[in-house]
Amino acid sequence: MKRHILVLNGPNLNRLGKREPEIYGKTTLADVEDMCVAAAGGNEITFRQSNREYEIIDWVHEGIDTADAIIINPAAFTFYSIAIVDALKMFKGPIVELHISNVHSREAMYHHSLVSPYATAVMAGFGARGYRLAIEAVLDMLDPEAETAGK
């Protein structure tokens, strides 16, 4: 059965590859999208990025009706967007919160996620390859035959 995975990226992720490469690496967001499409096999990927909170909320709302799973790197919205959290709470499928860096090894302002309590899983610190791992994980979660199926 073909699955639809919505991959959402928050503010400043359009600058991947240029922004603080010592933290986020040199992989661009276009590279990440290619990685996600490849990891999905024949499954559908909708890959989006915005610096605007309302767009991410609108995309989550669309996903409620169209997607089987959401992978979200909310970036800075992780730490203060109750509106994004409220939208995610309406989604019934697996949600993976993803961060390229290990947010817990960084400044204290990055340690408390509003999203984590509503995510099926949280991934941090795997670099850009975390997206590939997240795709593989949600496909497992969506497979009722998989031993590791989650929520």
Side-chain angles (χ1 to χ4, degrees), residues 8-74:
L8 300 177
N9 295 280
N12 300 312
L13 289 166
N14 57 308
R15 302 294 299 164
L16 275 181
K18 296 177 183 167
R19 174 188 177 217
E20 299 177 281
E22 68 281 2
I23 294 173
Y24 301 107
K26 295 186 180 184
T27 304
T28 67
L29 196 60
D31 296 334
V32 170
E33 182 174 7
D34 291 343
M35 191 184 314
C36 287
V37 169
N43 294 288
E44 181 183 353
I45 295 288
T46 300
F47 191 93
R48 295 179 172 158
Q49 184 279 328
S50 183
N51 296 319
R52 296 171 197 85
E53 184 178 32
Y54 76 89
E55 282 187 318
I56 294 171
I57 294 164
D58 286 346
W59 294 334
V60 171
H61 289 172
E62 286 176 28
I64 290 166
D65 298 324
T66 64
D68 296 299
I70 295 175
I71 296 169
I72 184 167
N73 183 341

